[in-house]
Amino acid sequence: MTQMKNYLVTGAAGFIGANYIKYLLQHFDDVRIVVLDALTYAGYLGTIHEDIDNERCVFVKGDIGDAPLVQQLFQEYKFDVVVNFAAESHVDRSIENPQLFLQTNILGTQNLLQAARTAWVTGKDEQGYPTWRAGVRFHQVSTDEVYGSLGDEGYFTEQTPLCPHSPYSASKASADFVVLATRDTYKMPVSITRCSNNYGPYQFPEKLIPLIINNVLHKKPLPVYGQGLNVRDWLYVEDHCRAIELVIRQGQDGSVYNVGGHNEMRNIDIVKIIIQSIRTIMDEEPQYRSLLADGSSTEWIDESLITFVKDRLGHDARYGIDPTKIGNDLGWRPETPFAQGIQKTIRWYLDHYEWVKAVTRDDYQQYYEKMYQHR
Ligand code: NAD
Ligand code: DAU
């Protein structure tokens, strides 16, 4: 009989976490999942509604920083694995409200580690180090942004010193240190993945790619920060999900793995690709034109929509991941080339416009005006 594993997956009503539980449920028969998510503006239950069957997947609304709740969940569900996606994730919002990022991303992670330690420690060895229940793992989902920014040359390896610049990346780097300190002090079995920029279905339209798609449909200006020359290293979200699960199952206890697909692009080039792709779809498949705010023609879908706006404060120039370790040690390779992934993503947004409307229903308009009015 298959030995079932109990997973606590935090933040799975958000972009990557939702893709991850869908991937897990589809590819693995040996997992039972409890999703813990506070349903902030970035979490939408509709995204994972079909996945919550209360047998293999249960949903709990709550804060990763709520100690009694998290302890109670550990007692009730006897977790073997924790996968921590829950976070405040948007750099621009961290510039507005750093406090919340430190609270959720650092103290929330520490609270999960504390509950895991209480539940998983079985005794002490001769030197006084805790001993751990067999088969447990705390996995922290981290980011390439903890390494800081690159010039024109070179890549981030796992040995690159952490040098974060934004309140968001500082909070994620701090969380990484807290996880590594728990490994070193208590010998907790942990792992960390540091991934580059993800794109794909279910990403909240505050991030570059879905924001630009949404703005084109609304015939709104496309805000490009600075000159649009900053470089990000883009990875299709399912490739990231596969990497995380591989690290949890086969990665070395205590190890950090960089995840990225050597797909560096300038922001301006991504924006141009999106404009061109939407124009082509609207020209060739007129049934999609009902999604356009101005469907009377498609002539206006061109680069004149681009507006160069004030740059992000402390804007990192370039990210580039060296994924050699995860490739050599675990055989991971990205499977979705960017040219294919971006077309899939644009089509997903066109085919799921109801989802966009649902997640932008509440205070999105207010957010948009506040964030972009001074740019
Ligand atoms: P997201 O903003 O789409 O989702 C975050 C989720 O966490 C939401 O469902 C939200 O409701 C939940 N959440 C927030 N605060 C919480 C709290 N206190 N308690 C419980 N739940 C809470 O984020 P994402 O883009 O899916 O990123 C997920 C993780 O992956 C983050 O840790 C992020 O740092 C990391 N990451 C993201 C990327 C990327 O490109 N998006 C790349 C590398 C790493
Ligand atoms: O690198 C991984 C990180 O990628 C994750 O850790 C973060 O959670 C995730 O939000 C993402 O951070 P970025 O800041 O790189 O992503 P964002 O989509 O916000 O911006 C991508 C680039 O596009 C960045 O250089 C800023 C620029 N940009 C962004 C927006 C929202 C614009 O030019 N205009 C915009 O309107």
Side-chain angles (χ1 to χ4, degrees), residues 66-256:
D66 180 341
L69 171 67
V70 173
Q71 279 163 24
Q72 184 221 313
L73 292 177
F74 267 89
Q75 276 173 13
E76 192 175 339
Y77 292 103
K78 310 275 179 274
F79 299 125
D80 302 293
V81 175
V82 176
V83 194
N84 184 26
F85 290 94
E88 288 295 333
S89 70
H90 193 39
V91 173
D92 292 325
R93 288 186 191 248
S94 82
I95 294 167
E96 294 295 304
N97 183 7
Q99 194 80 22
L100 175 63
F101 281 67
L102 272 55
Q103 183 73 35
T104 297
N105 299 358
I106 309 173
L107 295 180
T109 301
Q110 169 55 29
N111 188 50
L112 294 170
L113 287 163
Q114 177 66 37
R117 189 153 68 85
T118 306
W120 289 347
V121 167
T122 52
K124 264 189 198 167
D125 71 10
E126 282 145 24
Q127 291 164 302
Y129 285 109
T131 52
W132 296 84
R133 212 175 86 200
V136 296
R137 175 68 73 82
F138 187 102
H139 185 79
Q140 176 70 2
V141 181
S142 185
T143 166
D144 59 0
E145 297 201 12
V146 298
Y147 294 120
S149 185
L150 292 165
D152 291 341
E153 303 285 317
Y155 296 98
F156 299 131
T157 73
E158 290 82 359
Q159 277 69 50
T160 304
L162 304 198
C163 184
H165 296 128
S166 72
Y168 162 71
S169 53
S171 70
K172 291 295 289 184
S174 306
D176 281 14
F177 281 132
V178 171
V179 171
L180 295 173
T182 306
R183 172 198 67 184
D184 295 342
T185 306
Y186 309 107
K187 302 214 182 299
M188 181 188 278
V190 303
S191 47
I192 297 179
T193 40
R194 295 187 181 137
C195 188
S196 60
N197 282 63
N198 284 214
Y199 69 102
Y202 303 111
Q203 188 169 32
F204 192 77
E206 63 185 349
K207 307 283 164 56
L208 180 71
I209 289 178
L211 184 135
I212 295 296
I213 297 172
N214 197 29
N215 278 21
V216 171
L217 298 180
H218 282 96
K219 203 180 183 179
K220 274 167 101 171
L222 310 181
V224 172
Y225 299 171
Q227 302 297 303
L229 302 179
N230 302 62
V231 171
R232 297 290 180 265
D233 182 357
W234 294 92
L235 185 71
Y236 192 66
V237 62
E238 197 173 308
D239 282 326
H240 184 193
C241 296
R242 195 162 41 82
I244 290 171
E245 197 49 24
L246 195 60
V247 166
I248 290 171
R249 285 172 187 255
Q250 293 175 32
Q252 213 182 17
D253 268 347
S255 258
V256 175

Side-chain angles (χ1 to χ4, degrees), residues 36-76:
L36 174 63
D37 197 299
L39 298 181
T40 67
Y41 78 94
Y44 175 54
L45 202 46
T47 301
I48 53 169
H49 196 71
E50 288 176 355
D51 306 298
I52 301 161
D53 61 2
N54 291 324
E55 284 181 20
R56 289 192 65 207
C57 187
V58 170
F59 178 78
V60 177
K61 180 171 189 256
D63 189 329
I64 56 167
D66 180 341
L69 171 67
V70 173
Q71 279 163 24
Q72 184 221 313
L73 292 177
F74 267 89
Q75 276 173 13
E76 192 175 339

